[in-house]
Amino acid sequence: MPGNLGPSTLLALALALPAAAEPVTSFTLENGLDVVVIEDHRAAVVVQMIWYRVGSADEPPGNSGIAHFLEHLMFKGTEKVAPNAFSGIVEAQGGDDNAFTSWDYTAYFQRIAADRLDLVMEMEADRMRNLRLTEEDVTTERQVILEERSQRTDSDPGALLMEQMRAAQYMNHPYSIPIIGWRHEMEELSREDALEYYERFYAPNNATLVIAGDVTPEEVRALAEKHYGPLEPSDGIAPRERPQEPPQLAERRITLEDQRVSEPYIFRTYLAPERDPGDQKTAAALTVLAELLGGNGQTSVLPRALQFDSQTAVYSSAFYDGNSIDDGTFGLIVVPSPNVSLEDAEAELDRVLTEFLATGPDPAALERIRTQVRAGEIYARDNVESLARRYGAGLSVGLSLEDIDGWDEALSAVTEADIMAAAREVLDRRNAVTGWLTRPPAEGETTE
């Protein structure tokens, strides 16, 4: 009986079968709105997500933070919905909602009972083109985002280091600009700035509507035609052509000293290829490489070498961020053990990386990691909101439905040769920014 199967047996069974194919349907309205329907009839719940193909990397020069600022202002109301009432209406229907901004997209979502989809679709379509803003709205919300920057960035030395490192990593590309914005530019954002940005980019021909849950494509098409269909497209949408990075010829280094630092650490990022439409081989290899190097705190390469063998570190990890339109980053983090200097910890990190590049992964470890990555992708399909995000984010950065559906297969096809080719391409100090986060030396001490 299934109840008698252990976790490893269930995992093996899951991986032996093809990934569950959720019924996914797509169509486009006459005004340019792309619609994706992901059917999941296990519960009478639905998620609506509207993804605008615009983010902080698309902001006009000097207006950093306007994408995130507008995300806040979108809750200020229309002629039909009172100011700040949107979320309350959703909550009164037993649902919840939120929004988020990235470099490449801005998204809004509601999770609600399936029989309330008509209501939330009407409300979301209404604020796509009918937002009303007063000077008071803008003044109040500008103060909110400035306080958010104070709390999440300016008061956090780690966040400040990441911000400075990203600015150093991207010398020419707008990915260098923080999503929340630079404070001196945020302070000058105006009602006119917000409305100009809104009227140009918030339009059906610059958006993807993703509906996931207990719905049928026919139901969604009828509701989408009813609520989104009458909206006028924008004539300001153009191809997203951005300045690209010149070749990086030398490593860039940053040391940030702050009295608030409790645990000094090393943070390194490398410029890395993004997940490309029609060719996901390198991105899949980098995804597996990140897990192989630092995805598991006990069995991955860096934790085993730094935390257990040499006891140089108390924590180490790796990550890959390639779900973007242009080049992303591959990152490493090492928190040294007490009494181990940042210099010695970094030297040990580089020794381990050099050895890995020379010898490659342990075959058994590689097979285990590939299985874990594949299993994670399969299990993620069990949540309708995760599915909606998977498709919405992918489509927003230019991937096709075929790319998104084929990601599991791309991960399964990764070979050791693919991983090592990607590692040798990316793990090059000339493409890196290395940051040290530390405390200033006490009186009488010298720096490391």
Side-chain angles (χ1 to χ4, degrees):
M1 295 177 63
N4 297 325
L5 298 177
S8 60
T9 306
L10 289 173
L11 178 59
L13 287 173
L15 297 177
L17 298 172
E22 303 80 12
V24 178
T25 305
S26 65
F27 54 89
T28 302
L29 303 187
E30 289 188 8
N31 59 10
L33 179 69
D34 294 323
V35 184
V36 175
V37 183
I38 307 167
E39 296 181 68
D40 186 331
H41 301 288
R42 292 174 296 175
V45 176
V46 68
V47 172
Q48 171 180 236
M49 301 193 81
I50 191 78
W51 296 75
Y52 293 100
R53 293 185 288 274
V54 63
S56 63
D58 304 297
E59 295 169 337
N63 278 15
S64 67
I66 190 67
H68 174 251
F69 188 32
L70 181 58
E71 177 209 312
H72 280 242
L73 293 171
M74 284 289 284
F75 292 87
K76 290 302 179 182
T78 65
E79 290 184 357
K80 293 181 179 180
V81 178
N84 303 309
F86 191 103
S87 296
I89 295 172
V90 175
E91 185 176 349
Q93 300 297 318
D96 61 84
D97 74 316
N98 214 326
F100 51 88
T101 305
S102 183
W103 282 278
D104 293 314
Y105 49 75
T106 310
Y108 303 80
F109 70 91
Q110 303 86 38
R111 182 174 48 238
I112 202 161
D115 62 0
R116 300 292 190 272
L117 178 59
D118 185 32
L119 171 64
V120 295
M121 194 178 287
E122 178 183 9
M123 293 168 59
E124 194 65 84
D126 179 38
R127 68 174 174 176
M128 178 180 279
R129 296 301 266 168
N130 300 310
L131 183 65
R132 296 291 180 266
L133 295 178
T134 67
E135 289 290 352
E136 183 180 0
D137 290 333
V138 171
T139 300
T140 300
E141 211 58 39
R142 186 171 55 230
Q143 191 57 44
V144 170
I145 62 169
L146 287 167
E147 182 60 28
E148 183 178 337
R149 179 177 170 93
S150 295
Q151 292 180 356
R152 296 186 178 182
T153 305
D154 298 334
S155 64
D156 182 349
L160 289 172
L161 176 67
M162 290 176 64
E163 185 176 81
Q164 293 295 305
M165 287 181 61
R166 194 168 183 97
Q169 184 85 75
Y170 295 96
M171 297 180 64
N172 197 45
H173 194 285
Y175 285 164
S176 63
I177 300 172
I179 293 171
I180 198 165
W182 300 115
R183 176 174 287 275
H184 68 285
E185 294 184 350
M186 295 166 66
E187 292 172 340
E188 302 299 322
L189 294 176
S190 67
R191 178 175 178 271
E192 291 71 27
D193 293 331
L195 287 175
E196 181 179 353
Y197 185 90
Y198 168 75
E199 290 167 1
R200 176 182 175 186
F201 292 114
Y202 277 49
N205 56 324
N206 197 41
T208 301
L209 173 67
V210 180
I211 306 293
D214 190 20
V215 292
T216 66
E218 294 75 22
E219 292 170 339
V220 172
R221 182 186 287 272
L223 290 175
E225 292 282 8
K226 173 184 174 183
H227 297 301
Y228 291 99
L231 301 180
E232 291 295 323
S234 167
D235 59 5
I237 306 304
R240 301 167 83 179
E241 298 176 353
R242 299 154 169 178
Q244 298 298 301
E245 283 298 294
Q248 185 171 332
L249 304 179
E251 180 185 13
R252 299 158 193 167
R253 299 187 65 87
I254 292 174
T255 299
L256 179 63
E257 296 181 343
D258 195 301
Q259 292 282 5
R260 299 169 294 182
V261 173
S262 58
E263 288 187 302
Y265 62 80
I266 301 158
F267 185 25
R268 181 183 293 165
T269 57
Y270 302 84
L271 206 61
E274 75 279 7
R275 187 175 161 191
D276 285 326
D279 183 6
Q280 304 185 93
K281 181 178 179 179
T282 299
L286 289 170
T287 299
V288 177
L289 175 65
E291 291 295 317
L292 187 65
L293 287 179
N296 185 292
Q298 294 183 333
T299 61
S300 296
V301 171
L302 294 179
R304 287 179 61 186
L306 302 179
Q307 295 165 225
F308 296 100
D309 294 346
S310 69
Q311 298 186 2
T312 302
V314 296
Y315 175 81
S316 56
S317 184
F319 67 89
Y320 168 57
D321 179 14
N323 198 45
S324 53
I325 291 177
D326 298 308
D327 280 350
T329 53
F330 189 98
L332 306 170
I333 301 172
V334 175
V335 180
S337 299
N339 302 319
V340 174
S341 70
L342 292 174
E343 183 177 16
D344 289 345
E346 184 179 352
E348 184 65 10
L349 167 65
D350 287 327
R351 184 194 68 77
V352 173
L353 291 176
T354 299
E355 182 178 317
F356 175 81
L357 290 173
T359 63
D362 174 70
L366 173 56
E367 191 55 38
R368 183 180 64 251
I369 292 296
R370 289 202 311 174
T371 298
Q372 290 172 350
V373 171
R374 170 81 167 144
E377 289 294 321
I378 292 173
Y379 295 150
R381 292 173 175 266
D382 202 40
N383 182 289
V384 291
E385 186 176 329
S386 294
L387 276 172
R389 286 175 179 256
R390 174 177 179 156
Y391 281 88
L395 293 169
S396 297
V397 299
L399 299 177
S400 66
L401 288 176
E402 291 74 21
D403 293 324
I404 298 167
D405 291 335
W407 181 237
D408 293 340
E409 182 179 347
L411 290 171
S412 297
V414 170
T415 66
E416 179 179 343
D418 296 333
I419 292 170
M420 296 312 297
R424 293 187 181 101
E425 175 186 356
V426 171
L427 301 180
D428 183 337
R429 292 280 288 273
R430 292 172 296 181
N431 292 327
V433 177
T434 300
W436 285 11
L437 182 66
T438 186
R439 291 184 296 271
E443 187 175 349
E445 292 182 347
T446 57
T447 58
E448 296 176 273

